[in-house]
Amino acid sequence: MLEWRPYLAQRAGWPRTGRHILAQYDDESVIVYQAYRAAIADWAIAHQQFGGPWKFDRMSWIKPNFLWMMYRCGWATKRDQERVLAIRMARDGFETILAQAVETRHRPDATGWSVQEYETAGKRTEVRMQWDPDHNPTGAPTERRAIQLGLRRATLRQFATDWIHEIFDITPEVQAHHANATPSRYEALQTPFERPYTPRYPAVRTRLRLA
């Protein structure tokens, strides 16, 4: 299960600016989040993988940062995102995803690629990457950037089946903690324990532009 800790204590230790992969992880696994409608979530929980009404023929985005997921799904209030899943996936799989990631915008300072090389890499890769503003519990953007990763083709299939250790439905916890997602109640708010994640290989760290 997820480890939860007081939000304010965690916030004090998180980087305030820059690009960081905040995640809950151990030596073997990394937690990522997705939010779905009930039919997809129920199938995933029952089978401990994705399939059934879930589609393999389009890109699917994973987010290792809980509060970014809460911003995206409105704390499980947005249509077709009413069920929040925490997916414990193999750390080796997560590293494979990071190693393939090509940013959705051309960043020659990180890759050294020409525009043509970037466009070719973007077409070939099975993983796209975006750095978006992280958000606080109210949904307001912060100066820190959070990563999301879009998977497709064979990498998406590996994620959906081979790399999953366990899928948790954390919707009840999300709904309960949402009541404290306002500054006057931050003292009572708990969020999953997260800390900056460092990819194993320096070349990957450079291409991700981690700060």
Side-chain angles (χ1 to χ4, degrees), residues 66-197:
F66 175 78
L67 286 177
W68 205 106
M69 185 73 256
M70 293 306 97
Y71 164 74
R72 183 67 181 85
C73 72
W75 290 83
T77 64
K78 293 185 179 180
R79 182 178 178 181
D80 292 335
Q81 297 185 67
E82 301 92 347
R83 298 279 292 282
V84 181
L85 304 180
I87 302 144
R88 188 181 303 279
M89 65 171 295
R91 185 164 176 173
D92 286 345
F94 190 67
E95 288 282 342
T96 298
I97 288 170
L98 294 179
Q100 295 184 63
V102 173
E103 202 156 357
T104 53
R105 293 181 62 187
H106 183 214
R107 303 288 185 180
D109 56 324
T111 63
W113 290 337
S114 67
V115 172
Q116 184 175 359
E117 288 171 330
Y118 165 75
E119 290 176 350
T120 299
K123 291 176 182 177
R124 289 178 176 173
T125 188
E126 296 182 346
V127 181
R128 299 311 300 262
M129 165 184 66
Q130 289 184 187
W131 285 109
D132 300 296
D134 202 350
H135 293 77
N136 69 24
T138 69
T142 72
E143 294 184 46
R144 185 178 58 247
R145 292 276 167 163
I147 199 170
Q148 63 169 329
L149 298 154
L151 317 180
R152 60 186 176 187
R153 300 196 290 266
T155 300
L156 177 60
R157 188 168 291 275
Q158 280 187 289
F159 162 74
T161 56
D162 299 340
W163 289 337
I164 291 177
H165 289 184
E166 196 168 5
I167 302 177
F168 309 102
D169 185 349
I170 61 168
T171 309
E173 291 91 337
V174 167
Q175 293 170 337
H177 291 299
H178 187 203
N180 296 320
T182 184
S184 64
R185 296 185 61 86
Y186 278 174
E187 289 285 351
L189 177 62
Q190 295 208 358
T191 56
F193 171 53
E194 294 178 351
R195 53 201 169 105
Y197 180 94

Side-chain angles (χ1 to χ4, degrees), residues 42-59:
D42 286 341
W43 199 99
I45 292 296
H47 295 84
Q48 288 296 293
Q49 63 180 24
F50 288 102
W54 193 82
K55 304 300 182 184
F56 287 93
D57 59 356
R58 59 186 181 185
M59 185 170 283

